[in-house]
Amino acid sequence: NRAVLHLLYAPRIVKGSSKTEVIEDCVPLYNVPVILNMSNQAPKRIYIAPDGEDINYTVDTKEKVHFTVPVVKLHAMIVIDY
């Protein structure tokens, strides 16, 4: 079984009289902390898709999984295998 977490970030600005929101720059976010409630589903592996880079994680006594995503540049896709 697996779950896929999609993280999205894009700073928007408003342009013109029509107040259209646009994304002009791709500003990356670094070291994004994530905490997930994974009750009764301890993960076996957490990794960044599609490149397969493993992410270190910990599970606390309340069955919450803690990990840090190294970078979110518009979109990051994290796979949690359990």
Side-chain angles (χ1 to χ4, degrees):
N1 290 334
R2 76 176 43 151
V4 179
L5 172 66
H6 294 272
L7 300 174
L8 304 170
Y9 175 73
R12 303 174 315 232
I13 61 170
V14 177
K15 288 271 192 166
S17 60
S18 64
K19 300 194 182 218
T20 303
E21 291 184 359
V22 296
I23 300 167
E24 282 195 344
D25 295 319
C26 177
V27 179
L29 294 179
Y30 294 98
N31 300 317
V32 178
V34 176
I35 301 172
L36 297 176
N37 185 0
M38 298 287 290
S39 57
N40 300 323
Q41 299 174 348
K44 295 176 183 162
R45 180 181 179 215
I46 298 177
Y47 62 95
I48 301 169
D51 48 334
E53 178 186 342
D54 285 332
I55 294 177
N56 294 326
Y57 64 91
T58 59
V59 180
D60 68 19
T61 56
K62 297 180 181 176
E63 299 178 339
K64 293 186 192 244
V65 178
H66 300 255
F67 59 92
T68 300
V69 177
V71 65
V72 177
K73 192 171 183 181
L74 293 179
H75 175 252
M77 184 168 42
I78 311 302
V79 179
I80 301 107
D81 285 336
Y82 54 92

